[in-house]
Amino acid sequence: DADVTQTPRNRITKTGKRIMLECSQTKGHDRMYWYRQDPGLGLQLIYYSFDVKDINKGEISDGYSVSRQAQAKFSLSLESAIPNQTALYFCATSGPFATDTQYFGPGTRLTVL
Amino acid sequence: AQSVTQLDSQVPVFEEAPVELRCNYSSSVSVYLFWYVQYPNQGLQLLLKYLSGSTLVESINGFEAEFNKSQTSFHLRKPSVHISDTAEYFCAVSESGGSYIPTFGRGTSLIVHP
């Protein structure tokens, strides 16, 4: 089984709709992250969580919110989706050190019409 | 604050040719350096990383990268590429202090032609 799973894998929605992307990990790590990938822009950090009670905004958090339901679960919400949120979204988890590898989920491709 | 620059957005190459993907970083403290690979329709996965010791690090599939502190670079090389190496490659840096969250470069798309 994969270390990091994301649901759904693909989603098409309309402007103004609320969307939730879910992430689960089995690595037992406290740290979890949500990234957005756009062509040519690489990965941009949306939110990150150092543990269940410690959630922080990343560089592009406007228009997004998150919930850390448990050590293993971290969900990302778009309260009112807009077309420029069309992108590939990745969840990741890692240990607490700078030397630690990040483990990524397979991604969710979101299209907002 | 740390930053990463991947100098090429796309690198086309023929099968069995050598390739170099360039990565430069900026930081005022000690760093740890990573290369991640993203195959089509997949998430990123670690290819190799430099933590300390020998400045040349290798992956299991023939890639290698060399940490050059004076030039603040961590270029990725492979002497002979395969079609299956076609993917997006991301360089990342973590600093020895602070939050330990890595910064990623914008990625280099390696396209291997037959």
Side-chain angles (χ1 to χ4, degrees):
Chain A
D1 288 342
D3 294 325
V4 183
T5 58
Q6 292 183 235
T7 56
R9 293 293 313 276
N10 291 281
R11 182 72 184 267
I12 300 174
T13 191
K14 295 182 179 180
T15 298
K17 294 291 187 181
R18 184 179 187 274
I19 296 296
M20 178 180 286
L21 310 182
E22 299 185 336
C23 175
S24 294
Q25 54 102 352
T26 58
K27 297 293 291 183
H29 292 153
D30 285 325
R31 292 190 170 203
M32 296 187 74
Y33 312 81
W34 276 105
Y35 292 94
R36 169 178 170 158
Q37 183 181 22
D38 297 278
L41 296 182
L43 293 176
Q44 297 175 277
L45 185 62
I46 307 172
Y47 270 94
Y48 60 100
S49 172
F50 287 162
D51 63 42
V52 175
K53 296 183 179 180
D54 186 356
I55 296 176
N56 304 276
K57 293 182 178 180
E59 54 193 293
I60 57 161
S61 60
D62 287 348
Y64 302 94
S65 63
V66 291
S67 173
R68 185 80 184 267
Q69 300 93 330
Q71 185 200 40
K73 296 184 182 297
F74 192 36
S75 60
L76 175 73
S77 293
L78 288 67
E79 296 300 326
S80 180
I82 56 176
N84 76 0
Q85 292 178 312
T86 292
L88 192 53
Y89 290 85
F90 288 104
C91 175
T93 186
S94 77
F97 304 111
T99 54
D100 286 328
T101 298
Q102 289 216 330
Y103 296 89
F104 286 81
T108 294
R109 185 169 298 279
L110 177 65
T111 303
V112 183
L113 301 176
Chain B
Q2 67 217 35
S3 67
V4 179
T5 302
Q6 292 184 243
L7 297 164
D8 305 294
S9 60
Q10 201 171 81
V11 174
V13 64
F14 286 107
E15 194 172 21
E16 298 185 4
V19 71
E20 178 181 80
L21 307 184
R22 296 180 292 169
C23 173
N24 287 90
Y25 69 92
S26 175
S27 175
S28 58
V29 299
S30 296
V31 295
Y32 306 102
L33 294 156
F34 305 77
W35 275 100
Y36 288 84
V37 59
Q38 181 184 23
Y39 297 107
N41 299 314
Q42 295 185 26
L44 283 72
Q45 56 187 275
L46 181 71
L47 185 61
L48 49 76
K49 61 182 177 182
Y50 169 77
L51 302 182
S52 66
S54 172
T55 57
L56 185 66
V57 289
E58 298 177 350
S59 73
I60 58 173
N61 59 350
F63 281 94
E64 64 179 31
E66 186 162 19
F67 171 55
N68 188 317
K69 188 175 182 179
S70 63
Q71 297 189 5
T72 61
S73 68
F74 190 55
H75 300 332
L76 182 69
R77 302 183 182 94
K78 189 171 185 180
S80 177
V81 295
H82 302 287
I83 295 288
S84 60
D85 293 324
T86 294
E88 191 85 14
Y89 292 79
F90 292 92
C91 182
V93 60
S94 288
E95 291 185 326
S96 57
S99 67
Y100 301 157
I101 297 174
T103 296
F104 288 83
R106 294 191 171 194
T108 297
S109 178
L110 175 63
I111 303 169
V112 182
H113 297 288

